[in-house]
């Protein structure tokens, strides 16, 4: 079965960096676009970044642009999200997802369980 397992979250201070990973199995990873979404307490799930099947085309939300970098290693079936200059507003559960290149949740078929990122001020 398809599994997406996120890791790398944690508690950090504002201005710090984190790298999230998403290990994929049970799907043709190298032929699928991948995305990162996040859900803050009491809010809906928001698009963060996406990357096409071969990693040549990234896409970012306005809040992630210039601070976050999405990448992938198709040889290892791993998706990454490098997050720099973290702010308290970045506090959320971060999810990876597999599907079609989009900023819309409904374009992604498979989801991980999420990893918590907490940024203190």
């Amino acid at each position: 079965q398809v599994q997406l397992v996120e890791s790398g979250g944690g508690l950090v201070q504002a201005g710090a960096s984190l790298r999230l990973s998403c290990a994929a199995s049970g799907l043709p990873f190298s032929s699928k676009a991948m995305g990162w979404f996040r859900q803050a307490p009491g809010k809906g799930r928001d698009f963060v970044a996406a990357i096409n099947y071969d990693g040549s085309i990234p896409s970012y939300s306005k809040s992630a642009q210039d601070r976050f970098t999405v990448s992938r290693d198709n040889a290892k079936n791993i998706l990454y999200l490098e997050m720099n200059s973290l702010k308290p507003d970045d506090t959320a559960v971060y999810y990876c997802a597999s599907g079609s290149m989009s900023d819309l949740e409904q374009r992604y078929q498979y989801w991980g369980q999420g990893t918590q990122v907490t940024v203190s001020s």
Side-chain angles (χ1 to χ4, degrees):
Q1 72 278 19
V2 175
Q3 280 195 316
L4 300 174
V5 180
E6 301 96 336
S7 61
L11 171 62
V12 296
Q13 291 189 328
S17 298
L18 277 177
R19 187 175 79 159
L20 305 184
S21 300
C22 171
S25 61
L27 78 165
F29 182 79
S30 62
S31 66
K32 292 291 187 181
M34 298 293 294
W36 286 101
F37 288 75
R38 68 185 184 186
Q39 187 167 20
K43 297 186 177 181
R45 196 151 53 182
D46 294 327
F47 171 74
V48 176
I51 192 164
N52 72 326
Y53 73 100
D54 67 358
S56 61
I57 304 174
S59 176
Y60 299 95
S61 67
K62 286 185 179 179
S63 62
Q65 189 77 45
D66 298 327
R67 296 188 299 127
F68 295 2
T69 301
V70 60
S71 62
R72 64 192 298 161
D73 185 336
N74 283 350
K76 296 181 179 179
N77 285 7
I78 299 178
L79 174 73
Y80 301 102
L81 183 68
E82 183 78 34
M83 305 187 294
N84 299 313
S85 302
L86 283 163
K87 306 174 182 179
D89 284 349
D90 295 318
T91 295
V93 177
Y94 284 71
Y95 299 90
C96 69
S98 170
S100 300
M101 187 79 172
S102 175
D103 60 357
L104 300 175
E105 280 188 77
Q106 55 264 42
R107 299 300 301 275
Y108 294 85
Q109 290 78 47
Y110 299 104
W111 293 80
Q113 82 291 346
T115 185
Q116 177 71 47
V117 172
T118 303
V119 184
S120 63
S121 57

